Amino acid sequence: MIRTRFRKVILVASGIFQEQLIADYANVKHVQSIANIFPAIFESYPDLIVFDYDFLGKDLEKTLRRIQTNRFYDKIKIFCYKNDPNEKTDSFLKVLGVDQFIYRADLAKAPKQKTVLSTVNAIIDTSIIKLVASVSN
């Protein structure tokens, strides 16, 4: 389940995601049109935005640059779903503000987890555990 730190989530992806991945979540707003991204962000001010890299294509760069330059969006975490890792593209997107990447292989590794958002929580939990371990040492 989505923990309290992600009370509001926006998923920017094609229509397939609606039924398969987010059907159980009431706090997820699904945006299927590139033109509706910023009105949806302004309306709900989410804690997390998950972008589908294949769906947005070249518009992802423009969207990330717009988010990065506006201080209204400072506290929003940005995740990007991709089919395969690509070091050059991933590093470029990191510079543009992507906090975490979710790959298709990550979803296949976790058969118990039903959704992208559950995988996101698992990744974040691991990151927090590593951070706490490094601080305690």
Side-chain angles (χ1 to χ4, degrees):
M1 295 303 283
I2 296 176
R3 292 174 175 64
T4 57
R5 67 177 164 260
F6 296 129
R7 290 187 189 125
K8 296 178 184 175
V9 178
I10 291 180
L11 174 65
V12 181
S14 62
I16 342 172
F17 280 88
Q18 180 77 17
E19 296 175 13
Q20 292 179 351
L21 299 176
I22 63 170
D24 298 334
Y25 296 105
N27 58 341
V28 177
K29 182 171 184 161
H30 186 230
V31 177
Q32 298 180 25
S33 172
I34 296 170
N36 293 336
I37 294 172
F38 289 100
I41 293 172
F42 186 74
E43 177 184 309
S44 65
Y45 192 67
D47 300 317
L48 172 69
I49 301 174
V50 180
F51 290 111
D52 182 5
Y53 179 78
D54 294 331
F55 174 69
L56 287 173
K58 294 183 180 184
D59 291 323
L60 181 60
E61 179 182 349
K62 290 191 302 186
T63 304
L64 290 174
R65 287 184 189 275
R66 183 171 173 189
I67 289 172
Q68 187 179 28
T69 58
N70 192 337
R71 297 185 58 59
F72 178 75
Y73 307 120
D74 278 350
K75 299 199 189 281
I76 298 174
K77 296 287 183 191
I78 299 173
F79 286 18
C80 184
Y81 173 77
K82 291 180 68 182
N83 288 330
D84 299 311
N86 181 335
E87 188 175 324
K88 185 177 177 182
T89 305
D90 293 353
S91 61
F92 177 66
L93 292 175
K94 275 271 197 202
V95 169
L96 291 178
V98 174
D99 295 306
Q100 189 77 34
F101 290 95
I102 304 166
Y103 301 107
R104 182 182 294 181
D106 293 340
L107 297 177
K109 286 180 189 176
K112 293 180 183 178
Q113 298 172 346
K114 297 179 184 177
T115 65
V116 171
L117 300 172
S118 297
T119 304
V120 168
N121 285 330
I123 291 169
I124 290 176
D125 290 341
T126 306
S127 303
I128 291 172
I129 291 170
K130 288 179 183 177
L131 177 67
V132 170
S134 67
V135 169
S136 65
N137 290 334

